[in-house]
Amino acid sequence: MSGSPVVVLDIGATKVLCLVGESGAGNQVRVLGVGASPCAGLRRSVVIDMARVVDSIRSAVAEAERSAGLQIAGAYLGMAGHDSRARASRSTVAIAGVSKPIDEDDVARAMATAEQAAPDDGEQIMHRIVQSYAVDGQPVQNPLWLYGNKLEVETLSISASTQACTTLQRAADSAGIEIAGFILETVAAATAVVSLDEREMGVGILDIGAGTSDLAVFRGPLRHIAEIPFGGEDITRDLSVVLSMSPRSAQQLKHEHGCVCCPPEEGDQAVSFQTTAGRNSTLTRSQLSEIIEARQHEIFQFVQQELETHDCTQMLAAGLIVTGGGALLRNLPELGEEVLGMPVRVGLPQNAIAADSMNDPHYATGIGLLQFALEEHMESTVAVSANGSGRLVDRISRLLSFF
């Protein structure tokens, strides 16, 4: 049975994406509306032109309203990895010993104690994710109905820069959109492309965006996050500089002919382009691949260094999943496997009822944001109903209305 619709905003370096969705049968998400608008107001996830960002949000929301038949007043907002950090903490509460087993109230007390830990100055907590439980010092998978004197819970707090959150919130406010909550985009993307088996085995996800590439590591729960300071725009910029062509033409050349690990049988094929001076020129597919591969190789080297520095390499029995617009680069998994020495695959959004055109890495983060936001929305509604208060439900229901 479907619940009330939810709206999400994915504000990227090249476009703003607005999606409207609702819960469908079998844990699927049904996409009701889509709006997208070019955006030139960000550079590497940082707002550099507020007016352009506001205009792009307005345009994307208006298009989503038309396609969904809804009036949108608010949304959940995806946050890229810039200025995000993960910090582990542990809390302990006394429990009743042998007189009664651990119940939901005990677990809630332990979580409440963990939530009392204040974030560092200039940071805002987005998520607190349980890493492990222990009863009297012994690790357990589920503490419910066990007996003991102490319940410990270890959590991973995911925070973002307060300045970044405030800036994007003001941009949304200026566009007439209330922000219901912030969601880390790599966590959202994983919701859309990672299977339960892969999570349990240990898997990494690399969301290759235009300005940056965001990394998240899972073994069971989320274990580590990082931002790689390069993305698809850097490859486009390399082509533009090396071949003396406009960025627009370089993007088109990359999209139509770009690849890495160029097959030998294609290497000598000629590719034509026009320079900024108006001259017609050619290069081989092999030469084009070498330019692209140099930067993509560097991105994977950053990933490898990050994994090794934080002792994550041995966690990834299921390898690495690449998604986002940059994952469309032909033969990308082959290069990733060569550099990282582990399985690499392209992640497409799963469990979504949507147009065929959305079965694409470009939409993995947006659909993941919808899936994550719908879970948050349902949990918030249940929590409010249990507390006998309708204020939060009323607030969320005001975020959109049918025409």
Side-chain angles (χ1 to χ4, degrees), residues 103-309:
D103 60 18
E104 288 90 345
D105 290 340
D106 295 317
V107 176
R109 283 194 298 116
M111 289 300 299
T113 301
E115 290 172 2
Q116 289 174 4
D120 291 345
D121 289 342
E123 292 185 354
Q124 179 172 327
I125 298 294
M126 291 187 290
H127 312 289
R128 279 194 173 92
I129 299 169
V130 174
Q131 302 290 286
S132 64
Y133 294 104
V135 177
D136 292 343
Q138 295 297 315
V140 298
Q141 186 171 357
N142 184 351
L144 291 176
W145 318 127
L146 302 179
Y147 293 85
N149 297 299
K150 290 191 307 180
L151 172 62
E152 299 173 68
V153 59
E154 183 180 2
T155 60
L156 190 70
S157 297
I158 308 298
S159 62
S161 158
T162 301
Q163 179 183 6
C165 291
T166 300
T167 300
L168 289 176
Q169 185 157 4
R170 286 179 178 170
D173 287 344
S174 298
I177 301 299
E178 179 184 356
I179 297 303
F182 296 97
I183 303 171
L184 185 67
E185 290 190 342
T186 42
V187 172
T191 304
V193 304
V194 179
S195 71
L196 181 59
D197 285 343
E198 287 172 323
R199 282 180 185 264
E200 293 304 316
M201 292 172 63
V203 67
I205 179 168
L206 184 67
D207 185 3
I208 306 176
T212 61
S213 300
D214 293 324
L215 175 69
V217 174
F218 295 82
R219 189 170 64 179
L222 177 69
R223 300 293 181 178
H224 180 66
I225 60 171
E227 182 186 61
I228 310 301
F230 299 108
E233 279 190 336
D234 293 282
I235 296 174
T236 300
R237 192 175 298 112
D238 291 344
L239 290 172
S240 175
V241 171
V242 173
L243 301 178
S244 299
M245 60 192 307
S246 71
R248 184 185 298 273
S249 298
Q251 176 68 17
Q252 184 177 353
L253 183 69
K254 181 181 72 172
H255 176 72
E256 293 179 356
H257 303 289
C259 72
V260 293
C261 301
C262 183
E265 63 273 16
E266 297 180 10
D268 291 334
Q269 294 177 6
V271 176
S272 301
F273 64 96
Q274 191 173 64
T275 69
T276 52
R279 298 188 181 93
N280 294 322
S281 187
T282 61
L283 79 168
T284 65
R285 285 186 179 271
S286 178
Q287 291 170 325
L288 178 63
S289 176
E290 287 176 5
I291 300 170
I292 294 171
E293 192 170 317
R295 181 67 71 178
Q296 188 61 58
H297 192 281
E298 184 180 22
I299 291 173
F300 281 131
Q301 283 183 318
F302 268 93
V303 172
Q304 183 179 42
Q305 182 180 348
E306 185 70 25
L307 294 175
E308 291 175 350
T309 299

